[in-house]
Amino acid sequence: MLKNYFITAINILIKNKLYSAINIIGLAVGLAACILITLYVRDELSFDKQWEKADRIYRVNNKVKIGPNPANIMPLTSMQALSSLKKFFPKDIEFGTRIQPIQDAEIHIGDVNYSDSISLVDKDFIKMFRVEEIKGNLESTLMGPGNIALSEELAKKYFGDKDPIGEMITIIQGRGNKEQFQVTAVYRLASPNTVLSLPAFSLLKDTNTGPVIGLVLQVETYIRLYDTADIDELNKRLPDFFDQAMSSSGIPLSPGQKLSDVRSYLLQKITDIYFNPVGQAGRQVKAGNRTVITVFIIISLLVLIIACINFIILTTAKAAQRAREVAMRKVVGARFKQLIFQFLGESLLVTFIAFILALLLVQLTLPVFESVMNKDLTIPYLLPIGYLFVILLLLFVGLTGGFYPGIVLSRFSPTRALKANQSTEAYGSIMLRKILVIFQFTASIVLIIATLVAYCQLLYTGKHNPGYNPENLLVVENIGRQDISPYKNTLQQELLKLPEISNVALSNLQPEMVGMGMQMKLVFQRKGSNNPSDQGIPYNCMLVDYNFFKTYEMPLLSGRYFNQDLDQKEPPLPIFGRAPDTAGIKERRIVLNRAAARQFGFGSAEEAVGEILLVGNQELSIIGVVEDSQFRSIRMEPEPEIYRLIPDTTMFMTVRYKGEYKTVVNKVEQVWHKVVGSAFFRDSNVEQNLVSTFAREKQENKALIAFAMLSVFIACMGLFGMASFTTDRRIKEIGMRKVLGAKVINIVNLLTWQFLKPVIIANVIAWPVAIYAMQNWLQRFPYRFDSLLMIPVCLVSGLIALIIAWFTVAGNTTRVAKTNPIHALRYE
């Protein structure tokens, strides 16, 4: 019997080549899209699942609960936090480790220089985060200072095929400290999907002195809890930990206020960090978006369902041609269950053939998809979960696509099917096909609208004014290092001599690199203010030189910029290892941005100029107000910012140039080596940094475009099949119309209108759905294009769908309409 079913299914596929091809290709494309998205989603959801007892590992975040933002969270703690936590929670914390990321360390191996990141860690690091030991000994690496373990990639990069164990490397980090390290181990991560920065690691020097809460937050602190520990109970006890074990470090408290009311720790599960990043502890921050994951899952299901709908539409449409077959089977004794089994078997066979083709498509398109999404993806052929996924997918598609057609075909009445000149097709089947076509195009139009809106938003963001002129700005890094800082003024003067350079500025931050440089918040108060909301608020504080505003071309609203003839620079901050020399400081002067002036209660920029702010016991006079800027990140709305004239505590030099970037970089590097010496030269381009800020959204948009095109393609395949079937059934009607004088254009319009009506209805349904969904998506951006522009976007999307549908149907109907009527009527 099974053999007979199989032969019948093969014969049906061969007999109906067009419909079989449409079904198989449509399902294959849908399955391929589903597999690709599944690989991407699986990769995204795997972050930090590789660690043993990952669900018990938490990062200790620092939460500040004062100021205008109710929850300022940084993923850093002081050096001493871990030891205090372990003493306070001895029955809860099994292991703990600190990780101090050293971004862009200068690494010397012989005469060759590199710039890479390393991490300094505690001895318990390898107990919490087990990595595969390839060469050497990881435990001996963390037995004392002077040893370093390299990842397999770095070892290959530095030493090629040579054995790196025992080799010496020199690392210059932080403020210019030069240390020699011996390579004692090479390791490999089970998966690169981790938020930890682990290109190389060495032992962190233990410094357990000083206050637990300090101004200097230096390390990421991770703890692993015992299986018996209750995380909810531990979180409840954290305020007591703060109040009993920590120093306030001079944080102002109101009468009756406890330290835990203004500052606390927040435990975050390591597996949650990727999708819920807080703060930024370094330049490259890996972060995902659960909304995007959800959208991609929905898209994969939509594309797959659209392909299944094709199967349902075409199978039910062809039902009339198989009615007599089913009737004859029933007459000779076939039961309902046997017929259902046969048709579901045919559906599963089609699905299996489509799945084989889909795997081929995945293999061909995977490199392109990896490039677009910036991912390294692999198909888990050998994993049990892979086989389970394949079986479930085959069953889902096969049963979904074949169940209803099987029911329809199996219920045909033998008497009706075998009676001449009687239609076997019910009105319900016709209506169902129309509804399914509407659903197909509704989903496709929603995807088209989403793609166009995403494109418009990214285009708008790329042209958005960040509050300064990002064009032709080159940033020279590392100038804050202890061994380079003495040369910064000389370097600045030498660079100004180059004809391509119009201005050079110093600052403690560079644009779009949140986490790089020295992040500083200081508590400012307006002198003479009795407003409670103005007391004890921490403000962003940027340290700049005289040329900063002119170099970045920030608009001045009132007052003036810093002037070398009028303003005296402030001494270096004590945090950099030397006490400030306050002798001879007559007046400290500052510049505010518009948001800060508004926060302090000034009615206008003009009103703020000349007023006094207090920070500690220092008075600072406001000399100017500049326009708000998205200097820290174009992803963030402008925050209140206070600019202080402290050029000796700066870490970046920004150069405004004219001409070609590469040419200017080469000349700047020559001046660098002439002034500074052999120190590693590192630069970045501000405009490129802005472009890369939304690189992930651009990748997602490319994928969205591809899947939107696939959905339209599959829907049009179904529409083409339906049009072919319908025109074939109405060929005698068309012949009669032509005999009675109908023109080809009249017949084409008559037939195409029948198929365009569902597309028009789909537009009406799709527009409000897409607008609602994209309004939510746009909330990710601080600045969004006008929502009214979605109306023309919807109109354009609907027009695109109609044009595609018209071309899909018109070609086939035109062919039939041009047929000589004698061929259609000769048997009448």
Side-chain angles (χ1 to χ4, degrees):
M1 182 179 292
L2 291 176
K3 180 181 177 181
N4 181 52
Y5 286 163
F6 181 76
I7 292 173
T8 302
I10 294 295
N11 288 335
I12 292 295
L13 291 178
I14 295 174
K15 183 180 178 181
N16 300 281
K17 297 183 181 64
L18 175 63
Y19 303 102
S20 299
I22 291 174
N23 276 332
I24 291 172
I25 294 173
L27 282 176
V29 172
L31 286 166
C34 183
I35 292 170
L36 287 174
I37 291 177
T38 300
L39 292 175
Y40 173 76
V41 171
R42 173 177 170 267
D43 185 82
E44 287 285 282
L45 296 177
S46 69
F47 265 77
D48 287 298
K49 299 285 179 66
Q50 59 185 295
W51 312 120
E52 182 183 357
K53 296 185 179 180
D55 61 327
R56 308 297 293 171
I57 299 176
Y58 292 82
R59 184 176 68 186
V60 183
N61 294 326
N62 210 308
K63 185 176 181 180
V64 180
K65 297 185 284 187
I66 57 176
N69 295 324
N72 294 310
I73 303 175
M74 284 294 291
L76 300 174
T77 70
S78 64
M79 283 282 191
Q80 300 77 32
L82 178 60
S83 59
S84 295
L85 282 166
K86 291 169 74 173
K87 290 178 183 177
F88 198 86
F89 301 102
K91 296 181 181 180
D92 298 299
I93 299 177
E94 182 180 8
F95 298 120
T97 186
R98 297 166 297 177
I99 302 176
Q100 185 174 23
I102 309 297
Q103 299 289 335
D104 298 327
E106 190 175 319
I107 299 172
H108 298 261
I109 302 174
D111 296 330
V112 184
N113 296 346
Y114 300 93
S115 177
D116 284 301
S117 300
I118 65 170
S119 292
L120 304 179
V121 302
D122 289 314
K123 292 180 181 179
D124 284 345
F125 172 81
I126 56 176
K127 294 180 182 178
M128 288 182 62
F129 303 107
R130 297 188 183 277
V131 295
E132 182 184 349
E133 190 176 81
I134 300 176
K135 293 181 180 179
N137 189 286
L138 289 171
E139 289 187 6
S140 65
T141 301
L142 300 179
M143 292 301 292
N147 301 324
I148 191 168
L150 301 179
S151 65
E152 188 178 25
E153 294 77 14
L154 274 193
K156 184 76 173 177
K157 175 181 176 181
Y158 295 161
F159 302 103
D161 296 329
K162 182 181 177 181
D163 187 359
I165 303 300
E167 295 291 330
M168 301 299 297
I169 64 177
T170 302
I171 298 178
I172 302 176
Q173 52 176 295
R175 295 173 53 214
N177 304 323
K178 182 184 292 187
E179 294 185 70
Q180 288 240 325
F181 291 85
Q182 183 181 41
V183 180
T184 53
V186 177
Y187 63 91
R188 178 191 299 131
L189 295 178
S191 166
N193 288 355
T194 175
V195 295
L196 303 179
S197 177
L198 294 175
F201 62 81
S202 183
L203 183 66
L204 175 66
K205 295 177 182 177
D206 207 358
T207 54
N208 280 321
T209 59
V212 177
I213 291 187
L215 293 175
V216 182
L217 305 178
Q218 297 173 284
V219 294
E220 297 176 32
T221 299
Y222 293 86
I223 58 174
R224 193 172 90 182
L225 304 182
Y226 286 111
D227 294 339
T228 56
D230 186 342
I231 183 62
D232 294 327
E233 186 64 28
L234 193 146
N235 277 322
K236 290 178 183 178
R237 294 172 59 198
L238 276 176
D240 293 335
F241 165 71
F242 253 73
D243 296 330
Q244 294 179 28
M246 298 202 172
S247 165
S248 66
S249 297
I251 296 177
L253 298 175
S254 303
Q257 193 176 42
K258 298 185 295 185
L259 179 60
S260 57
D261 294 330
V262 297
R263 202 157 186 173
S264 67
Y265 280 160
L266 184 68
L267 299 183
Q268 184 178 23
K269 189 180 292 187
I270 191 170
T271 52
D272 293 338
I273 293 175
Y274 179 67
F275 288 107
N276 300 284
V278 294
Q280 300 202 36
R283 170 178 293 190
Q284 302 298 335
V285 178
K286 293 181 180 180
N289 189 301
R290 289 193 183 276
T291 302
V292 172
I293 295 296
T294 304
V295 167
F296 271 79
I297 292 174
I298 293 172
I299 288 173
S300 69
L301 290 175
L302 282 176
V303 173
L304 198 58
I305 290 171
I306 288 172
C308 291
I309 287 174
N310 274 357
F311 187 89
I312 296 172
I313 290 174
L314 295 180
T315 306
T316 54
K318 296 286 287 182
Q321 295 183 4
R322 299 193 65 181
R324 287 181 172 83
E325 173 201 338
V326 173
M328 288 302 298
R329 286 180 180 274
K330 283 189 172 185
V331 167
V332 298
R335 296 178 181 177
F336 179 75
K337 290 182 179 179
Q338 291 173 315
L339 293 171
I340 285 286
F341 184 78
Q342 176 189 342
F343 293 124
L344 288 180
E346 290 178 10
S347 175
L348 288 171
L349 177 63
V350 171
T351 304
F352 180 75
I353 297 172
F355 187 81
I356 300 301
L357 181 58
L359 286 179
L360 179 61
L361 290 174
V362 169
Q363 289 287 8
L364 293 174
T365 57
L366 187 59
V368 178
F369 186 67
E370 288 177 325
S371 175
V372 170
M373 303 307 295
N374 195 25
K375 288 276 188 181
D376 292 325
L377 305 174
T378 55
I379 303 175
Y381 287 113
L382 301 179
L383 294 179
I385 187 68
Y387 292 106
L388 179 61
F389 173 75
V390 168
I391 293 171
L392 292 176
L393 193 60
L394 285 172
L395 289 175
F396 172 78
V397 176
L399 297 179
T400 302
F403 184 76
Y404 179 77
I407 293 291
V408 171
L409 292 171
S410 303
R411 288 189 179 277
F412 280 145
S413 170
T415 55
R416 287 192 61 198
L418 296 175
K419 189 179 295 184
N421 299 321
Q422 289 291 323
S423 174
T424 58
E425 188 167 29
Y427 175 77
S429 294
I430 298 173
M431 286 304 300
L432 176 66
R433 285 203 299 274
K434 290 182 178 180
I435 292 171
L436 292 177
V437 169
I438 291 171
F439 177 84
Q440 280 185 315
F441 275 92
T442 298
S444 300
I445 293 166
V446 167
L447 289 178
I448 293 172
I449 294 172
T451 301
L452 291 177
V453 170
Y455 174 79
C456 291
Q457 175 58 34
L458 292 175
L459 190 67
Y460 175 80
T461 303
K463 296 182 179 297
H464 175 69
N465 180 12
Y468 60 90
N469 182 7
E471 297 178 359
N472 296 340
L473 286 180
L474 180 157
V475 177
V476 180
E477 303 176 11
N478 276 350
I479 64 162
R481 246 171 51 179
Q482 195 172 28
D483 56 334
I484 297 176
S485 186
Y487 301 101
K488 68 171 66 171
N489 292 330
T490 304
L491 180 64
Q492 188 175 23
Q493 296 305 316
E494 289 296 319
L495 289 176
L496 285 170
K497 294 178 182 178
L498 295 176
E500 295 87 355
I501 293 176
S502 59
N503 225 322
V504 181
L506 300 171
S507 62
N508 65 314
L509 297 172
Q510 63 169 316
E512 292 304 315
M513 290 296 177
V514 178
M516 293 297 291
M518 184 181 67
Q519 306 292 315
M520 178 178 294
K521 282 182 178 287
L522 295 178
V523 176
F524 290 84
Q525 298 179 11
R526 181 177 173 182
K527 186 177 181 180
S529 172
N530 296 319
N531 186 355
S533 64
D534 184 39
Q535 306 300 314
I537 296 178
Y539 286 83
N540 289 324
C541 186
M542 192 179 299
L543 313 181
V544 300
D545 73 340
Y546 296 101
N547 300 322
F548 177 80
F549 298 110
K550 292 180 181 178
T551 301
Y552 278 95
E553 297 180 2
M554 288 187 177
L556 181 68
L557 300 179
S558 181
R560 60 179 177 83
Y561 298 135
F562 292 122
N563 188 299
Q564 196 158 3
D565 297 327
L566 301 175
D567 304 311
Q568 187 177 7
K569 67 179 183 180
E570 297 185 55
L573 296 180
I575 196 170
F576 279 75
R578 48 181 173 172
D581 181 12
T582 58
I585 300 294
K586 296 179 180 179
E587 186 179 12
R588 300 174 188 269
R589 293 170 177 170
I590 56 173
V591 173
L592 309 183
N593 69 350
R594 184 199 292 268
R598 190 184 304 114
Q599 183 68 43
F600 282 114
F602 298 115
S604 64
E606 292 77 13
E607 184 182 332
V609 176
E611 295 292 325
I612 303 295
L613 298 184
L614 302 176
V615 55
N617 58 358
Q618 298 176 358
E619 292 190 356
L620 302 100
S621 176
I622 302 172
I623 63 169
V625 178
V626 295
E627 186 57 88
D628 292 338
S629 71
Q630 292 171 284
F631 189 89
R632 295 173 183 267
S633 175
I634 201 170
R635 284 184 176 276
M636 302 160 49
E637 294 186 10
E639 295 181 345
E641 194 89 45
I642 296 175
Y643 302 90
R644 298 184 67 176
L645 187 59
I646 312 180
D648 292 334
T649 314
T650 51
M651 305 179 71
F652 301 98
M653 180 175 287
T654 304
V655 176
R656 179 163 292 282
Y657 65 90
K658 53 187 176 182
E660 290 293 327
Y661 179 74
K662 291 183 178 180
T663 303
V664 175
V665 168
N666 291 334
K667 291 189 176 184
V668 171
E669 186 173 5
Q670 291 174 10
V671 174
W672 169 276
H673 291 304
K674 174 184 173 183
V675 175
V676 177
S678 60
F680 196 86
F681 174 78
R682 186 182 297 114
D683 71 286
S684 63
N685 184 290
V686 172
E687 205 166 10
Q688 290 176 358
N689 292 341
L690 281 172
V691 170
S692 65
T693 301
F694 291 101
R696 187 180 181 92
E697 280 80 1
K698 291 177 181 177
Q699 294 166 356
E700 295 164 0
N701 194 37
K702 288 179 181 178
L704 191 63
I705 291 171
F707 291 123
M709 292 173 62
L710 285 180
S711 70
V712 173
F713 170 74
I714 296 171
C716 287
M717 285 184 67
L719 196 62
F720 177 79
M722 274 290 296
S724 299
F725 172 75
T726 302
T727 50
D728 286 344
R729 289 188 65 184
R730 298 176 67 179
I731 193 166
K732 290 183 175 61
E733 174 195 337
I734 293 170
M736 288 298 295
R737 287 181 181 274
K738 293 191 73 173
V739 168
L740 296 173
K743 297 180 180 179
V744 171
I745 188 66
N746 301 130
I747 296 172
V748 170
N749 289 337
L750 174 69
L751 295 175
T752 53
W753 172 244
Q754 176 182 342
F755 297 102
L756 291 182
K757 280 192 291 186
V759 180
I760 294 172
I761 296 171
N763 272 290
V764 175
I765 298 172
W767 291 356
V769 173
I771 289 174
Y772 175 78
M774 295 314 294
Q775 285 280 26
N776 290 334
W777 182 80
L778 287 172
Q779 298 305 313
R780 303 167 66 184
F781 301 88
Y783 292 92
R784 299 174 285 277
F785 72 92
D786 194 340
S787 298
L788 290 176
L789 291 176
M790 284 195 188
I791 296 175
V793 168
C794 289
L795 291 173
V796 170
S797 301
L799 185 62
I800 291 172
L802 281 170
I803 290 173
I804 293 173
W806 188 88
F807 275 107
T808 301
V809 175
N812 190 58
T813 54
T814 302
R815 175 184 60 81
V816 175
K818 287 182 178 180
T819 305
N820 193 327
I822 194 171
H823 297 300
L825 302 175
R826 60 184 173 180
Y827 294 113
E828 292 297 323

